[in-house]
Amino acid sequence: MTQLRSPSYDLADIVAVNDLYHRRGWTDGLPILPPTEELVQACLDATGLAPSAVIGVESVRQRPITAEKVAINAVMAGCLPAYMPVVVAVIKAICQPEFNLHGSTASTGGSAQFIVVNGPIRQRIGLNATHNVLANHSRANACIGRAIRLILINVLGCLPGQLDRSTLGHPGKFSFCIAEDEEDSPWTPLAQQRGISAGMSAVTVMAGESPHQTMNEWTRDPEEIVETFAAEIRHNMLTYSIWAGNYALIVPKQLRDLIATAGWQRRDIQEYVYRSARVVRRDWATVGKKQIVNLGKGADQRFSALRSPDDLLVIAAGGPAGGFGAIIPPWLGSRSQAVTQIIETL
Amino acid sequence: MHDALTAEKAGVVATAIITDRFVPTAKAMATVQGMSDYPFAVIRHPIASNTEQTLREKAEEAVRQCVEILLQGEPHADA
């Protein structure tokens, strides 16, 4: 067993452990599993990494995130060792400069790390891609997302009111991790579309605001189905943030089937939304923001939600019944960009 | 704060202007960067919805504080 370097505490039982961790601000408010040396070592062993191995560095706060700290927080979150390769890949992804980890975690905008997992690891660890996909069900979804939050709190100091200045935050900040329903999707998996080889497992992570749910069960026309998503994006551009960047679309099976039957591919969805999700500056007057209509380049200034069709992350996920979808808006346009990272397994 | 601290470490005299509701965060960033006593100017929150007159008053207050901070000598790194 490799020697761990973190301080240890001799406490009577799990209640005493949780009392200490809550008092010190080391949790998200929920109880944690005590990170005993044995459990932490099992998580490290699942990665093949030395405790001191640096997974990533947050450049503004100059904090290295070591394998030992990742493993401790993963245990606290309830992760099994088999989840560790996913947690490590997410940390690597969010430490890429284009993710802008400091800005997206410190901002009053209050985003969460929205994680989409592709590839064979999904089934090996039991990640959910179907019923209730954006909420409770699978241990893997819940604990992987939670591990990232605990790492942000305990390693990067993302304490609300300190270096996390979210005015509201959103429930995804507890956990925001899904799998793509590759087995029941007519489309190439998201990670492959973003350059990862078939058969590889990967995570795609974006700084996402809370999901906005949509519903359209009254048409078979793919353009109308996708227009409902585009309309919600336009609404978000006016009521939240105008800036272009990565938006995620969660498309459930019932709508995927109709879209695919009509012959539309994922690319058709991306190109339609690229053309349709646009607003004009004067539209702000319709949502209580008339004070800023004449700023910038004036009332006729046009804005697009996407810089290009590739900005749209189209994700096959959700239960088999219901015409319910969701858009997940970006934190602040392209100031944080989605990152896709291979999951390395032993 | 990060920009000011980075400039300071590069030998460029600097300070930051913070609205009062961000003071705990400014102090947290100064601590993370190893200069926990780093001085900065504080004006009242908010900024975006101010009238031009209020904004001018806040700017004048910020200038007054910045001049005082910039002339008081070098900030100290934490031991």
Side-chain angles (χ1 to χ4, degrees), chain B residues 25-48:
Chain B
T25 306
K27 288 184 173 169
M29 178 54 78
T31 302
V32 164
Q33 294 291 333
M35 299 178 89
S36 53
D37 292 329
Y38 190 73
F40 49 86
V42 181
I43 55 174
R44 277 179 297 114
H45 198 78
I47 295 294

Side-chain angles (χ1 to χ4, degrees), chain A residues 101-185:
Chain A
L101 182 59
H102 170 72
S104 64
T105 56
S107 167
T108 46
S111 66
Q113 299 68 43
F114 175 54
I115 303 160
V116 184
V117 184
N118 282 108
I121 199 167
R122 291 166 307 126
Q123 291 171 315
R124 285 207 301 274
I125 65 174
L127 275 163
N128 179 33
T130 61
H131 293 280
N132 207 38
V133 69
L134 289 171
N136 58 292
H137 184 39
S138 150
R139 179 174 180 177
N141 298 54
C143 297
I144 290 169
R146 188 185 183 207
I148 303 306
R149 174 58 43 200
L150 293 180
I151 291 164
L152 294 179
I153 292 170
N154 291 321
V155 184
L156 299 186
C158 292
L159 290 168
Q162 299 286 317
L163 291 176
D164 176 348
R165 287 299 310 218
S166 301
T167 306
L168 300 178
H170 66 82
K173 290 183 75 172
F174 278 104
S175 183
F176 208 12
C177 175
I178 71 170
E180 190 169 34
D181 190 4
E182 296 178 25
E183 289 68 26
D184 204 356
S185 168

